[in-house]
C-alpha cells in the first residue's frame, strides 16, 4: 500500500507559504494526499508537522532545475502509486522596479522560475496526469497577465506566457482527458507584495487585498469545473476585457495610477 492509500492527490509547488500553503491545508482537510514542494525547507517541515507525515510528502524543489523536478515527481509517484489528480504549478518570484534599472540577471531569474519552472512541472508531471482520470493541470498566473503592468514588466511577461500556455494546452491535453486552467490573482496577502503596496491598497474594487485562502478555494472549485481562467477577485475579469477592447485607455489609466 502506498503512502497516499488510494486518496486523491495534489502536487503543489511554492507550498511552504502563502497561496500554496493555504491550498495544501484546504486539500488536506478535504481528505486529499498533499505533495508540498518549495525551496523553503523550514516552511515545508512546519507544514508537514501541521498536516501530519502520513498525509503529505514534503520535498525541497527549485522548479527551475529540471533534474530536481524529476526527482520530486518520482518521489510523489512512489507515494501515490502513480496518481496525480492536480498539478498546481504555483511557485513564482517577483521583483519590482523600472526595467532599465533592474539587473538583467534578476529578470532572467524570474523567467527561469515563473515560466521555465512551469514548463518543467507540466512536462515532467504529464505522465502522471495522463494516468489519472479527470486530472487538472492548474497554474498560477497573475492579474498582470491581463495587461502588462509598469514596474513589473518581466514578471508580467512571464504571467502572460503562462496564460497563453494554459489556453493552448487546454486544447492539446484533451487528447489525454487532462484539463488545464489557471488563476489570475490580484493583490494577495502573502510574502510577495511589498508592505507599502498592501498598506496603500484600496478597501474595495479589483485591487483590494485578498487573503490567500481565497486562491486555495479557487483551486478546489477549479477541479470541479471546466472554467479556463479564474480571476481573484472576480472583478479582475473586467480588467481582462478592457485590456482586449481598449488597451491604450487601460495603459494610460495604469500609468496615471502609478504616477508614471
Amino acid at each position: 500500500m502506498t503512502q497516499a492509500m488510494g486518496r486523491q492527490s495534489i502536487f503543489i509547488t511554492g507550498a511552504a507559504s502563502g497561496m500554496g500553503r493555504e491550498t495544501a491545508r484546504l486539500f488536506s482537510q478535504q481528505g486529499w494526499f498533499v505533495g508540498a514542494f518549495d525551496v523553503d525547507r523550514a516552511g515545508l517541515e512546519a507544514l508537514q508537522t501541521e498536516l501530519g507525515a502520513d498525509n503529505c510528502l514534503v520535498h525541497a524543489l527549485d522548479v527551475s532545475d529540471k533534474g530536481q523536478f524529476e526527482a520530486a515527481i518520482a518521489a510523489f509517484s512512489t507515494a501515490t502509486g502513480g496518481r496525480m489528480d492536480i498539478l498546481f504549478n504555483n511557485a513564482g518570484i517577483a521583483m519590482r522596479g523600472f526595467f532599465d534599472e533592474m539587473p538583467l540577471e534578476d529578470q532572467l531569474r524570474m523567467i527561469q522560475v515563473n515560466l521555465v519552472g512551469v514548463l518543467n512541472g507540466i512536462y515532467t508531471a504529464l505522465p502522471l496526469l495522463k494516468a489519472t482520470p479527470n486530472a487538472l493541470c492548474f497554474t498560477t498566473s497573475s492579474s498582470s497577465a491581463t495587461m502588462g503592468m509598469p514596474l513589473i514588466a518581466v514578471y508580467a511577461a512571464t504571467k502572460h506566457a503562462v496564460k497563453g500556455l494554459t489556453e493552448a494546452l487546454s486544447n492539446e491535453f484533451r487528447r489525454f482527458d487532462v484539463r488545464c486552467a489557471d488563476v489570475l490573482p490580484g493583490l494577495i496577502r502573502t510574502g510577495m507584495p511589498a508592505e507599502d503596496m498592501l498598506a496603500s491598497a484600496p478597501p474595495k474594487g479589483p485591487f483590494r487585498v485578498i487573503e490567500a485562502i481565497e486562491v486555495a478555494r479557487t483551486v478546489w472549485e477549479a477541479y470541479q469545473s471546466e472554467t479556463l481562467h479564474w480571476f481573484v477577485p472576480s472583478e479582475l475579469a473586467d480588467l481582462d476585457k478592457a485590456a482586449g477592447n481598449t488597451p491604450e485607455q487601460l495603459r494610460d489609466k495604469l500609468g496615471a495610477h502609478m504616477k508614471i
Side-chain angles (χ1 to χ4, degrees):
M1 180 64 70
T2 63
Q3 185 182 357
M5 300 182 66
R7 287 174 285 180
Q8 288 181 288
S9 62
I10 182 171
F11 184 110
I12 307 171
T13 65
S17 61
M19 299 182 298
R21 189 183 191 90
E22 291 297 335
T23 302
R25 286 169 169 163
L26 176 62
F27 276 78
S28 180
Q29 291 165 5
Q30 296 296 328
W32 284 47
F33 182 79
V34 174
F37 303 85
D38 205 298
V39 293
D40 179 2
R41 295 174 183 268
L44 290 177
E45 290 174 1
L47 180 63
Q48 184 180 50
T49 298
E50 178 181 344
L51 302 185
D54 292 338
N55 300 317
C56 65
L57 169 73
V58 301
H59 200 293
L61 171 62
D62 176 353
V63 296
S64 68
D65 186 317
K66 187 172 181 291
Q68 288 190 31
F69 227 126
E70 290 169 345
I73 293 290
F76 185 82
S77 180
T78 297
T80 66
R83 178 177 190 142
M84 183 185 292
D85 294 271
I86 301 178
L87 167 66
F88 184 21
N89 272 311
N90 171 66
I93 58 173
M95 302 177 198
R96 185 177 172 84
F98 288 111
F99 174 84
D100 55 293
E101 295 178 357
M102 294 179 64
L104 179 60
E105 293 75 15
D106 289 347
Q107 305 198 50
L108 293 176
R109 179 60 181 161
M110 279 190 282
I111 293 171
Q112 286 296 313
V113 174
N114 298 353
L115 179 55
V116 175
V118 169
L119 295 174
N120 283 339
I122 297 174
Y123 191 86
T124 310
L126 188 55
L128 297 190
L129 294 172
K130 289 166 63 175
T132 308
N134 198 38
L136 173 65
C137 176
F138 196 74
T139 304
T140 297
S141 182
S142 167
S143 58
S144 67
T146 60
M147 181 76 180
M149 305 284 184
L151 300 179
I152 52 170
V154 173
Y155 175 82
T158 64
K159 296 304 184 177
H160 271 78
V162 163
K163 185 183 180 195
L165 179 69
T166 300
E167 291 168 352
L169 295 184
S170 68
N171 267 319
E172 289 192 21
F173 288 1
R174 290 175 189 265
R175 295 155 35 235
F176 314 129
D177 188 32
V178 173
R179 295 170 294 132
C180 293
D182 58 20
V183 60
L184 293 87
L187 190 58
I188 309 297
R189 196 188 306 278
T190 67
M192 189 174 292
E195 287 299 324
D196 63 320
M197 292 180 64
L198 296 174
S200 62
K204 58 183 180 179
F207 295 109
R208 68 186 185 276
V209 179
I210 301 294
E211 300 301 326
I213 185 60
E214 296 303 322
V215 174
R217 290 172 180 149
T218 297
V219 183
W220 179 259
E221 290 179 32
Y223 183 69
Q224 329 295 330
S225 172
E226 295 291 335
T227 298
L228 180 59
H229 298 307
W230 296 81
F231 297 90
V232 181
S234 59
E235 300 97 301
L236 286 170
D238 295 331
L239 190 71
D240 198 45
K241 293 175 184 176
N245 294 331
T246 56
E248 297 84 4
Q249 183 178 343
L250 182 57
R251 174 200 62 195
D252 294 344
K253 185 176 181 180
L254 287 170
H257 175 71
M258 304 184 83
K259 298 181 173 57
I260 293 175

